[in-house]
């Protein structure tokens, strides 16, 4: 087409970038698209999301992050959630943290769904400390104090609850039982906002409480045993 003097329009380039299964070729068409598209145009933004997804699915994480750091416009919630979903499927929590940490520099604000997905990924990866930090960050960044009965806010409640569940699960996996119980109690306190724990989360919290009780009982028994042995030694001396 170019050899004949004709230059593809942006829609053609977007189609070529989206349809090619090879990420290198898709990246080539995306580069061509950038030359003929208006900066920040919807078509350029859609293609940018598509090529990031292709590079992630191909395991080319360095290229994916490089593209993520060079958006044609500030990423939307939808774009961030698509990238987060790909990273969750690939079980790449390190990349997900890098992705989330770069959002402020891109003038992007993650929503509750983005946090939930990254926190679930950290749970899979055994990163309970990251989940505690991300839960605190989500409460500051996203707020969620005035949720209504719209479908959007119902989904937000589910995502906030999912983020809490990930923090509780990862704390329990790390044997941080008191912390898991503390987060569960905080989640229960938000029931007036319609944010309630799932059945599996409640089960994890009760299991953590049982383990704490067992540890306390074991510690008490060990203390009593130590007293008995001390008394026996004292009598032997006498």
């Amino acid at each position: 087409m170019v050899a004949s003097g004709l230059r593809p329009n942006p829609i053609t380039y977007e189609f070529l970038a989206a349809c090619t299964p090879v990420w290198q070729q898709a990246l080539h068409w995306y580069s061509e698209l950038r030359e003929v598209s208006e900066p920040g145009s919807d078509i350029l933004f859609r293609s940018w999301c598509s090529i990031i997804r292709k590079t992630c699915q191909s395991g080319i994480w360095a290229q994916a992050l490089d593209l993520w750091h060079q958006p044609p416009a500030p990423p939307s919630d939808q774009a961030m959630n698509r990238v987060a979903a790909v990273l969750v499927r690939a079980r790449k929590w390190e990349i997900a943290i890098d992705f989330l940490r770069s959002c402020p520099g891109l003038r992007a604000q993650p929503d509750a769904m983005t946090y939930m997905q990254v926190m679930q990924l950290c749970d899979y990866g055994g990163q309970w400390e990251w989940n505690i930090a991300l839960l605190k960050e989500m409460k500051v960044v996203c707020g969620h104090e005035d949720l209504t009965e719209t479908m959007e806010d119902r989904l937000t409640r589910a995502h906030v609850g999912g983020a809490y569940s990930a923090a509780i699960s990862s704390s329990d996996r790390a044997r941080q039982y008191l912390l898991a119980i503390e987060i569960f109690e905080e989640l229960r306190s938000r029931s007036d906002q319609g944010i309630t724990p799932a059945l599996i989360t409640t089960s994890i919290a009760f299991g953590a409480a049982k383990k704490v009780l067992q540890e306390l009982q074991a510690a008490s028994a060990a203390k009593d045993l130590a007293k008995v042995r001390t008394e026996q030694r004292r009598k032997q001396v006498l």
Side-chain angles (χ1 to χ4, degrees):
M1 185 179 288
V2 175
S4 64
L6 298 175
R7 188 170 182 81
N9 61 28
I11 295 176
T12 304
Y13 279 125
E14 181 189 23
F15 176 79
L16 291 170
C19 291
T20 180
V22 182
W23 72 268
Q24 295 94 330
Q25 189 62 48
L27 184 58
H28 166 74
W29 293 125
Y30 173 70
S31 299
E32 294 286 329
L33 175 62
R34 294 192 66 151
E35 294 183 7
V36 298
S37 299
E38 291 291 329
S41 65
D42 290 341
I43 196 168
L44 185 59
F45 190 72
R46 287 196 304 268
S47 186
W48 174 76
C49 293
S50 175
I51 190 62
I52 288 179
R53 188 163 59 250
K54 284 181 184 292
T55 51
C56 284
Q57 290 169 344
S58 300
I60 315 299
W61 307 110
Q63 182 67 65
L65 279 175
D66 186 54
L67 285 164
W68 174 255
H69 291 150
Q70 302 178 58
S76 64
D77 292 349
Q78 186 180 34
M80 287 189 289
N81 291 327
R82 284 177 179 174
V83 175
V86 172
L87 294 173
V88 167
R89 287 194 293 271
R91 300 292 177 91
K92 293 290 183 180
W93 69 266
E94 304 96 325
I95 306 296
I97 292 295
D98 193 343
F99 148 75
L100 196 58
R101 293 278 72 83
S102 67
C103 288
L106 302 177
R107 292 179 294 155
Q109 179 170 304
D111 64 3
M113 183 177 181
T114 306
Y115 276 104
M116 179 192 71
Q117 292 186 102
V118 174
M119 289 175 68
Q120 287 174 342
L121 186 50
C122 287
D123 183 19
Y124 299 147
Q127 303 301 310
W128 68 273
E129 289 137 315
W130 266 116
N131 265 356
I132 301 307
L134 291 174
L135 181 63
K136 291 179 180 178
E137 182 179 306
M138 183 192 73
K139 290 186 287 186
V140 173
V141 172
C142 301
H144 308 130
E145 297 299 332
D146 300 312
L147 295 172
T148 64
E149 289 303 316
T150 63
M151 180 59 69
E152 182 179 357
D153 280 351
R154 289 177 187 174
L155 287 173
T156 298
R157 287 191 185 91
H159 297 150
V160 172
Y164 272 94
S165 295
I168 292 167
S169 175
S170 59
S171 298
D172 180 70
R173 289 174 192 266
R175 301 175 64 87
Q176 302 292 321
Y177 303 128
L178 288 174
L179 183 58
I181 295 168
E182 180 184 338
I183 298 171
F184 178 74
E185 287 300 319
E186 181 181 328
L187 174 57
R188 287 184 61 197
S189 72
R190 302 191 67 172
S191 60
D192 60 330
Q193 300 171 17
I195 302 172
T196 55
L199 181 60
I200 183 67
T201 304
T202 302
S203 177
I204 291 172
F206 273 99
K210 184 177 180 180
K211 291 166 188 172
V212 169
L213 180 60
Q214 289 171 344
E215 289 180 352
L216 290 173
Q217 289 173 338
S220 178
K223 186 177 180 180
D224 291 341
L225 181 59
K227 285 182 179 179
V228 170
R229 287 177 175 172
T230 301
E231 183 65 22
Q232 287 176 343
R233 291 193 199 99
R234 190 181 66 81
K235 289 179 178 180
Q236 288 172 357
V237 171
L238 295 175

